[in-house]
Amino acid sequence: MTQIRLFPILLLVLSAGCSHVAGTGRSQLNMVSPSQEAELGAEAFNEATADVTLITNGPEADMVRRVGRRIVNAAEVLYPDSMVEDDQWKFVLIDDDSVQNAWAAPGGKVAIYTGILPVTKTEAGLAVVMAHEVAHVLAHHSAEQISHALLMNGVLSAGSAAMGDSANRAVVMQALGVGGQYGVALPFSRLHEAEADELGLFLMAEAGYDPRTAIAVWERMGESGSARPPEFMSTHPAPENRVEEFERLMPEAMELYHEAERHRQRAKQSR
Ligand SMILES: [Zn+2]
């Protein structure tokens, strides 16, 4: 299809499905409704966790749930407009030491592999990775990817046509990255990655985790060598560029971190 022929279709779709990313204000194409996102995310999550072992008890599983809850609470404060229904969030730990990875399915399903814990090291380190994943969810990056994939396949509405039709379903599932070796291994664009880094940094700061930890974690991620996780190395910006970007955002993130801490202290004293 030529660009000229695509143009009227683009106009049609853009008028029907354009929204803004909270926190960065970037406008994005989004033809997928929140309820469709929740449905697709749950389906992707079930598919991606069907053949793995989930760790549901013990200190590490508790930590994953605790960090997830603190980040969701921070998201309610910072980005209330992009919130996911509270009961849709799910944070799980997958027992596989060979995978240094984490992923997020739309609608709030986040999975962490035990293999990434030696890289994240501390609870704040884990918060770096989890805040990044929650940011992908809040920014509706999967919905945006699906919308572009549908558009490229000539589908103008993600509603009735897209979800019911099996050919379109294949497009959707492929855009979600479901079925790869590592679960939902989304090949997010660099733009999405940079956006998730930025939102994630502020989320962790608001949640009470020192945002400076992000730099140390990404540096360790760069050193972790041969077993390059798909979500964290192959499609992400080079660790050096990423650290540079974090340094640029750090003064603002530190200010938020200290302000959130003062706020918590005041709340404690007034109780
Ligand atoms: Zn990412």
Side-chain angles (χ1 to χ4, degrees):
M1 192 184 286
T2 67
Q3 296 228 301
I4 292 158
R5 281 174 62 200
L6 196 59
F7 188 61
I9 299 175
L10 259 175
L11 269 186
L12 221 164
V13 172
L14 288 175
S15 63
C18 195
S19 55
H20 290 88
V21 177
T24 67
R26 181 177 64 85
S27 62
Q28 67 180 177
L29 174 68
N30 188 353
M31 297 155 42
V32 186
S33 73
S35 66
Q36 286 168 336
E37 252 191 320
E39 200 178 306
L40 285 169
E43 212 174 303
F45 176 84
N46 291 340
E47 211 164 300
T49 55
D51 300 321
V52 302
T53 307
L54 297 180
I55 300 178
T56 54
N57 293 310
E60 288 177 338
D62 288 346
M63 178 169 69
V64 165
R65 283 190 290 261
R66 180 170 64 245
V67 172
R69 179 35 57 190
R70 280 173 66 169
I71 291 169
V72 166
N73 290 345
E76 279 164 10
V77 175
L78 292 183
Y79 313 118
D81 294 342
S82 53
M83 273 314 283
V84 167
E85 292 290 333
D86 201 58
D87 62 352
Q88 292 295 317
W89 290 103
K90 191 168 183 150
F91 298 94
V92 300
L93 180 62
I94 296 174
D95 188 10
D96 192 340
D97 291 344
S98 70
V99 181
Q100 295 174 334
N101 200 17
W103 50 257
K109 308 287 185 283
V110 176
I112 304 293
Y113 290 83
T114 51
I116 207 167
L117 297 179
V119 182
T120 55
K121 282 194 166 127
T122 60
E123 179 161 338
L126 178 63
V128 173
V129 167
M130 291 183 66
H132 174 97
E133 294 302 327
V134 166
H136 276 307
V137 174
L138 295 174
H140 304 281
H141 287 157
S142 296
E144 189 177 358
Q145 275 187 320
I146 291 168
S147 302
H148 282 280
L150 289 172
L151 186 63
M152 292 313 287
N153 284 272
V155 181
L156 297 183
S157 158
S160 53
M163 303 308 163
D165 181 294
S166 62
N168 290 333
R169 228 192 86 80
V171 171
V172 168
M173 283 295 153
Q174 199 184 16
L176 275 173
V178 175
Q181 190 187 352
Y182 299 105
V184 187
L186 293 164
F188 281 128
S189 68
R190 292 202 164 201
L191 174 75
H192 284 172
E193 289 312 330
E195 201 164 69
D197 277 350
E198 182 176 343
L199 300 183
L201 191 68
F202 293 111
L203 282 172
M204 75 177 289
E206 175 67 31
Y209 296 111
D210 190 332
R212 286 168 295 194
T213 318
I215 292 175
V217 167
W218 289 117
E219 279 174 347
R220 284 201 293 276
M221 209 83 83
E223 290 158 7
S224 63
S226 56
R228 295 196 155 214
E231 152 72 336
F232 280 98
M233 292 305 296
S234 61
T235 63
H236 282 63
E240 315 81 69
N241 303 350
R242 184 162 232 174
V243 166
E244 224 167 83
E245 191 53 20
F246 280 131
E247 272 162 1
R248 188 182 69 79
L249 297 166
M250 203 53 73
E252 202 187 330
M254 286 305 289
E255 205 173 298
L256 181 67
Y257 174 61
H258 291 307
E259 181 53 39
E261 186 52 35
R262 280 193 292 274
H263 192 83
R264 265 190 289 276
Q265 289 303 330
R266 278 196 301 274
K268 212 185 270 178
Q269 280 159 10
S270 68
R271 268 206 298 269

